[in-house]
Amino acid sequence: VGKSKVDEEVLDELEEILISSDVGVETTVKIIRRIEDRVARDKFMSTSELDSILREEIAVLLSENKSADVSGDFETPLGVKPYVIMVVGVNGVGKTTTIGKLAAQYHKAGKKVVLGAGDTFRAAAVDQLKLWGERVGVPVIDHGMNTDPASVAYDAVKQGTETGADVVIVDTAGRLHTKVNLMNELAKIKRVMQKFSAEAPHEVLLVLDGSTGQNAFIQAQEFTKATEVTALAITKLDGTAKGGVVIGISDQFKIPVKYIGVGERIEDLQVFSKQTFVESLFKK
Amino acid sequence: MFDNLQDKLNKAIRTLKGSGKITDVNVASTVKEIRRALTDADVNFKVAKDITDQIREEAIGQKIMIAVEPGQMLVKIVHDKLTELMGGQAESVNLKGSPAIVLIAGLQGSGKTTFTGKLAHNIKKQGRQVIVAACDIYRPAAIAQLQTLGEQIGVEVYAEPDNKNAVEIARNAVEYAKKNSKNVVIIDTAGRLAIDEAMMQEVENVKKAIEPTETLFVVDSMTGQDAVNTAKTFNDRLNFDGVVLTKLDGDSRGGAALSIRQVVSKPIKYMSTGEKMEDLDIFYPDRMASRILGM
Ligand SMILES: Nc1nc2c(ncn2[C@@H]2O[C@H](COP(=O)(O)OP(=O)(O)OP(=O)(O)O)[C@@H](O)[C@H]2O)c(=O)[nH]1
Ligand SMILES: Nc1nc2c(ncn2[C@@H]2O[C@H](COP(=O)(O)OP(=O)(O)OP(=O)(O)O)[C@@H](O)[C@H]2O)c(=O)[nH]1
Ligand SMILES: [K+]
Ligand SMILES: [Mg+2]
Ligand SMILES: [Mg+2]
């Protein structure tokens, strides 16, 4: 602060900001190296130049994936009918809530939505999704608790198809990626859905908690292995956590961040904006 | 990770010349490696800095026997330090009083409701009369969730589905426990962000109204750098007695445990290690230190 030239001290300060935002040592070092290279090349760089270069570098790391820009809004036709979204992630990150919010957005945009209560394990998970369904005014397919989640998913896709739905969103139970059986179960849910509709799910949305630290990286890696994740949602960014770990995730796995969760209310879902995200990293 | 750190430290030390003693100069690069390893394990940046500064002081002047793996020796110094900082001994919860009142608080999705069930299950097994109270009036099906767990463990759930006042429900739950001569009442509350003033005020009011014997802050072991902000604010508002660390059945490194301990000086009392009601353990600082270092 107050400096006009990029020196060691400025870079140390930068390192502190990035690490404190959960960006992680590896990605932080990567970003700082790039800045150092540019300083070496351009000889002199003012701190205000640094600022804009930094934003550029981070934006580059946040993967460029065109599909994200196309389907980010809720009005654009989805190309297939029904467009099936399977939502996965570790325990308590905000999957069910995100489904409720997504359903609300699609519904508001005039799309017909069907939800599948595929978490048949966690206490009252089906009730929770059904309440979201009521709130939004969309049907929820459920087989009750302790039933086969794959069969719920199948029925949701079937029902969605038969009733001419635009979007089917399937909830799954939270699971830690270290639990092999549970990860295999996800693959099975996918396979069973494909018996009805070969291309389903068209989207596998991995939900990450914005306050999670470096473990989010391993989550992205393992869920991708099990289910070929196609998009990310980062929740709980209404708090003081910055969610910086997604910069490295998006860089390494080339999975676009599509949505961010900014609260518990039905309207608290936003389409991800790189620019806003980067700004928020540097906001005190 | 552990091998990684040990290798890096070995390398940093092997490049030294001279006495084989750790000196001010040669310790700098090793300290940097240690700091990075800690932040990689989600220890807060500032906390990691403080700790490595302390380690630097302690390491300087110590004989490093190049022959017996200097990296190993340094890692041991770090491990012992982390163990000491996390409190050395395990501490239990205070269940004195009639009834003993336990208040549970924390961020959204951290594992409060599940822990409420686990603690009740554990207390019941000790032969005490315990009830749990559903004071989350916001989350869809929060009451049903606690009721499902209550049924599983055979513990009564106090709930008022039509009451939208968490303070009142908590107070009534305690009254109910007194009248029915229960030994322990555990109060589950809604998840809340530390910066949500109205919600923080609510839980503060709950605490004032029921004067719990024990207030526990539940935190997800996967939490990153922000753990310190959250813990600090919850502690400022609630002056909690202990911390519960959840989801340790995964592979998170759990650096948040160390950060929180450093910032609020409150003991970590329980570890939650799964979704089942049996998956509860007391906290072992030395195991946590090994985990953070990836040992
Ligand atoms: N502040 C905040 N809270 C959120 C957000 N998204 C979800 N939550 C809260 O986080 C908690 C967990 O949300 P759920 O939707 O139940 O999470 P989940 O991933 O379905 O959980 P499991 O099914 O148990 O694995 C709830 O209290 C939600 O209200 C968000 O963007 N901001
Ligand atoms: N693997 C694992 N999952 C856990 C553990 N503790 C809780 N969970 C899961 O984490 C998710 C959230 O747990 P809850 O008990 O609903 O969390 P909460 O803090 O009450 O959530 P809110 O009331 O929404 O703030 C659920 O899926 C639980 O089953 C644990 O130790 N290990
Ligand atoms: K934020
Ligand atoms: Mg859920
Ligand atoms: Mg709860």
Side-chain angles (χ1 to χ4, degrees):
Chain A
V1 193
K3 289 248 171 190
S4 60
K5 192 170 169 293
V6 175
D7 55 16
E8 188 117 358
E9 203 181 311
V10 173
L11 291 177
D12 277 354
E13 219 172 276
L14 174 60
E15 176 175 337
E16 178 164 352
I17 292 174
L18 293 175
I19 295 283
S20 306
S21 309
D22 290 311
V23 170
V25 172
E26 203 180 313
T27 311
T28 297
V29 169
K30 191 167 172 178
I31 293 169
I32 290 183
R33 289 258 157 80
R34 288 193 190 194
I35 306 272
E36 277 172 343
D37 287 350
R38 285 177 77 153
V39 174
R41 212 180 330 124
D42 305 345
K43 294 292 181 282
F44 181 89
M45 185 192 286
S46 69
T47 43
S48 64
E49 276 174 281
L50 169 73
D51 221 50
S52 61
I53 287 169
L54 189 60
R55 283 166 167 69
E56 274 169 44
E57 296 287 356
I58 294 175
V60 170
L61 293 177
L62 286 166
S63 91
E64 306 282 347
N65 187 322
K66 295 196 185 63
S67 69
D69 303 327
V70 179
S71 41
D73 75 278
F74 297 91
E75 281 79 21
T76 314
L78 291 157
V80 279
K81 212 174 161 172
Y83 184 79
V84 180
I85 306 171
M86 175 178 171
V87 180
V88 301
V90 302
N91 308 82
V93 288
K95 294 175 292 299
T96 307
T97 307
T98 301
I99 291 171
K101 295 176 196 172
L102 278 173
Q105 297 267 15
Y106 278 121
H107 183 70
K108 205 172 97 192
K111 294 200 162 53
K112 194 169 169 187
V113 183
V114 170
L115 303 181
D119 181 357
T120 60
F121 178 73
R122 216 236 27 246
V126 171
D127 288 341
Q128 186 188 2
L129 190 72
K130 279 164 83 175
L131 282 168
W132 272 106
E134 275 173 33
R135 242 185 220 184
V136 181
V138 298
V140 178
I141 307 306
D142 87 275
H143 292 183
M145 293 301 296
N146 305 311
T147 57
D148 177 17
S151 138
V152 177
Y154 181 91
D155 272 4
V157 177
K158 183 166 179 278
Q159 177 101 350
T161 308
E162 287 169 0
T163 59
D166 298 289
V167 190
V168 174
I169 315 177
V170 177
D171 195 10
T172 63
R175 66 201 72 218
L176 295 179
H177 50 276
T178 47
K179 314 230 158 134
V180 179
N181 292 343
L182 296 180
M183 294 306 276
N184 288 341
E185 182 191 77
L186 281 184
K188 184 191 162 197
I189 296 173
K190 236 180 113 168
R191 269 200 315 277
V192 171
M193 266 190 254
Q194 284 162 346
K195 282 188 191 162
F196 192 84
S197 162
E199 261 94 64
H202 306 89
E203 182 168 322
V204 177
L205 182 67
L206 173 66
V207 181
L208 299 172
D209 183 326
S211 65
T212 303
Q214 298 310 298
N215 194 253
F217 212 85
I218 314 175
Q219 290 169 28
Q221 178 183 303
E222 295 304 313
F223 276 94
T224 300
K225 267 191 212 154
T227 58
E228 296 164 71
V229 173
T230 61
L232 303 173
I234 319 299
T235 61
K236 309 182 193 175
L237 287 181
D238 43 327
T240 41
K242 305 282 192 183
V245 67
V246 303
I247 297 172
I249 291 174
S250 161
D251 177 41
Q252 179 158 337
F253 302 103
K254 305 292 172 211
I255 309 167
V257 185
K258 262 177 111 164
Y259 309 108
I260 62 167
V262 292
E264 301 185 79
R265 294 166 312 169
I266 196 163
E267 66 272 25
D268 291 333
L269 182 83
Q270 293 171 5
V271 172
F272 178 75
S273 144
K274 259 184 237 178
Q275 202 190 336
T276 315
F277 182 78
V278 175
E279 294 300 325
S280 81
L281 281 185
F282 296 96
K283 210 167 60 195
K284 286 267 161 166
Chain B
M1 181 73 173
F2 170 60
D3 291 338
N4 204 349
L5 175 62
Q6 197 158 303
D7 286 350
K8 279 183 182 161
L9 293 181
N10 276 329
K11 218 156 74 195
I13 293 165
R14 249 182 229 123
T15 58
L16 311 174
K17 294 189 196 113
S19 66
K21 259 189 183 174
I22 298 182
T23 66
D24 208 3
V25 183
N26 67 37
V27 84
S29 60
T30 54
V31 159
K32 196 164 187 181
E33 294 298 349
I34 296 168
R35 192 183 299 159
R36 285 194 166 158
L38 292 179
T39 47
D40 254 343
D42 292 324
V43 175
N44 178 266
F45 187 77
K46 290 201 182 75
V47 172
K49 221 169 185 172
D50 287 348
I51 291 173
T52 46
D53 284 348
Q54 291 178 38
I55 288 168
R56 187 206 309 261
E57 293 304 307
E58 282 162 36
I60 284 172
Q62 290 202 39
K63 266 280 183 206
I64 287 281
M65 310 297 284
I66 304 287
V68 292
E69 297 251 350
Q72 199 175 343
M73 179 173 170
L74 253 183
V75 168
K76 190 181 176 315
I77 293 176
V78 177
H79 182 271
D80 291 351
K81 185 79 204 172
L82 299 193
T83 306
E84 179 202 317
L85 291 177
M86 281 186 290
Q89 288 295 304
E91 286 190 46
S92 58
V93 309
N94 176 9
L95 293 179
K96 294 198 187 88
S98 49
I101 303 167
V102 184
L103 175 64
I104 310 295
L107 291 184
Q108 287 93 345
S110 54
K112 295 176 295 299
T113 305
T114 308
F115 173 75
T116 299
K118 288 177 180 183
L119 185 62
H121 183 53
N122 185 285
I123 291 171
K124 188 190 172 200
K125 278 196 297 197
Q126 295 167 25
R128 308 192 65 179
Q129 294 283 320
V130 55
I131 64 165
V132 296
C135 296
D136 178 352
I137 53 175
Y138 309 96
R139 170 171 160 157
I143 296 175
Q145 185 187 2
L146 196 58
Q147 279 166 340
T148 306
L149 298 178
E151 256 165 54
Q152 270 175 35
I153 58 177
V155 163
E156 190 181 343
V157 178
Y158 184 88
E160 298 182 29
D162 297 322
N163 192 343
K164 283 291 165 205
N165 184 330
V167 177
E168 257 175 47
I169 303 170
R171 200 185 281 131
N172 294 344
V174 173
E175 279 312 308
Y176 179 87
K178 274 184 193 155
K179 274 201 198 103
N180 294 276
S181 28
K182 303 289 179 187
N183 309 125
V184 184
V185 49
I186 310 174
I187 314 280
D188 182 26
T189 61
R192 66 200 75 223
L193 292 172
I195 54 164
D196 188 334
E197 178 50 35
M199 289 297 286
M200 291 307 288
Q201 190 59 53
E202 180 199 68
V203 72
E204 205 182 311
N205 292 345
V206 168
K207 177 164 181 176
K208 274 194 197 124
I210 58 172
E211 296 177 357
T213 9
E214 184 87 12
T215 301
L216 296 173
F217 174 61
V218 179
V219 63
D220 188 325
S221 63
M222 295 180 270
T223 312
Q225 296 289 315
D226 192 53
V228 292
N229 300 329
T230 306
K232 215 187 284 170
T233 311
F234 271 83
N235 194 47
D236 287 348
R237 302 299 289 258
L238 295 178
N239 189 18
F240 54 71
D241 302 288
V243 178
V244 177
L245 209 56
T246 63
K247 308 180 197 174
L248 279 163
D249 43 327
D251 58 359
S252 67
R253 304 287 297 287
L258 180 59
S259 308
I260 292 172
R261 176 76 207 206
Q262 280 302 95
V263 167
V264 300
S265 301
K266 295 288 169 69
I268 298 162
K269 296 198 170 177
Y270 285 105
M271 304 193 317
S272 211
T273 55
E275 297 192 74
K276 295 196 303 289
M277 290 295 100
E278 291 74 31
D279 299 333
L280 186 66
D281 206 346
I282 54 169
F283 180 74
Y284 301 97
D286 59 329
R287 288 193 208 164
M288 199 65 218
S290 303
R291 187 179 176 123
I292 290 171
L293 291 172
M295 294 164 84

